[in-house]
Amino acid sequence: MISTAKKNTHLASHEQLNILLIDENVQRAESIVTALGNSRYKVSHLACTQAGLLKQVDEIQPDIIVIDIESPNRDMLESLHTISHYNPKPVVMFSSQQDTETINLSVQSGVSAYVVGDIDPERVKPILDAAVARFKAFHKLKDELNDTKHQLESRKSIDLAKRLLMKTNKMSEEQAFHSMRKTAMDTGQKLEDVAKTIVSMLRSLEQGHEHD
């Protein structure tokens, strides 16, 4: 089972990156290992396309997945989608399938680079460089969007708590905010957590009065 713990998606530009290579052709796989010999990419494990991808990733914990497959099937895409959700990492897929639907489904499942045709060992490194760069850029943007969303939700909770305090305790906006900030400092909590507690408590009191 893929670990659901949050993984670090920030791959350092200088560190060695271990590759899980999925390929039925051992000779071609060996040529890839040779081509990457002087780079930061290292093929740490070779598996066939019939091997359980989720199990392989969970056991090996590779930094990158490279797949050479004639056509990705539904099981493969579902496994990649699970990995992308719980344990994201750059995925490069070489496939002879070039229809738009298959490419779109692969990208939606978490494939960073979809390359039509057989693997050319001499092209693997620049393709990996591009896939890692794209992966890092995507997750940087995703992190920024999540931070912005969190900030907006936090602001919304604080504003709601202020309004409830102003209404319930007949406070001014400044007094309500000062009260919340003082509680946060006294208890060592974040302001947004104090706000959520206030909202929960005051709404519970309002509901209690409604039932009286």
Side-chain angles (χ1 to χ4, degrees):
M1 179 181 291
I2 290 293
S3 171
T4 57
K6 186 176 181 181
K7 303 296 180 180
N8 180 16
T9 57
H10 304 288
L11 303 176
S13 58
H14 60 278
E15 66 182 353
Q16 176 179 290
L17 300 178
N18 294 317
I19 297 173
L20 168 60
L21 176 59
I22 310 293
D23 198 337
E24 298 286 354
N25 190 319
V26 176
Q27 184 176 0
R28 180 172 53 209
E30 290 177 347
S31 67
I32 293 172
V33 173
T34 300
L36 295 174
N38 294 322
S39 72
R40 65 180 178 135
Y41 304 107
K42 176 186 177 184
V43 178
S44 59
H45 190 81
L46 172 64
C48 66
T49 55
Q50 301 303 317
L53 182 58
L54 294 180
K55 182 179 179 181
Q56 294 282 338
V57 171
D58 200 38
E59 291 178 351
I60 300 164
Q61 292 296 319
D63 299 304
I64 306 173
I65 301 172
V66 177
I67 303 170
D68 183 28
I69 190 170
E70 183 175 341
S71 178
N73 56 34
R74 188 174 70 175
D75 288 343
M76 172 70 75
L77 294 178
E78 287 180 350
S79 294
L80 288 173
H81 184 271
T82 300
I83 293 167
S84 177
H85 183 73
Y86 289 116
N87 192 357
K89 55 188 77 269
V91 178
V92 177
M93 180 176 288
F94 293 86
S95 174
S96 58
Q97 192 63 256
Q98 54 185 313
D99 66 282
T100 302
E101 182 180 2
T102 299
I103 295 173
N104 287 339
L105 287 173
S106 298
V107 172
Q108 290 168 14
S109 297
V111 173
S112 307
Y114 187 100
V115 184
V116 176
D118 294 332
I119 295 179
D120 178 355
E122 297 304 318
R123 294 179 56 215
V124 172
K125 182 184 178 299
I127 290 173
L128 289 175
D129 288 338
V132 170
R134 180 184 178 188
F135 176 84
K136 290 168 65 176
F138 172 79
H139 281 278
K140 182 176 183 292
L141 177 60
K142 186 176 180 180
D143 289 343
E144 290 173 350
L145 289 173
N146 287 336
D147 287 343
T148 300
K149 181 180 178 181
H150 177 76
Q151 290 172 12
L152 290 173
E153 291 175 347
S154 175
R155 185 74 262 169
K156 185 177 179 180
S157 295
I158 293 170
D159 287 343
L160 177 57
K162 281 195 301 184
R163 290 198 301 271
L164 289 174
L165 282 174
M166 291 165 66
K167 176 184 177 181
T168 305
N169 297 346
K170 309 300 181 183
M171 291 180 168
S172 66
E173 181 176 356
E174 184 178 352
Q175 288 173 328
F177 182 74
H178 177 75
S179 175
M180 291 166 54
R181 186 172 61 182
K182 184 176 186 305
T183 300
M185 294 176 64
D186 291 345
T187 60
Q189 298 182 75
K190 292 181 179 179
L191 186 59
E192 63 184 286
D193 293 332
V194 171
K196 290 176 181 178
T197 300
I198 290 173
V199 170
S200 178
M201 289 177 58
L202 294 181
R203 280 183 169 171
S204 295
L205 286 174
E206 287 180 348
Q207 292 173 358
H209 291 321
E210 289 175 358
H211 293 299
D212 289 342

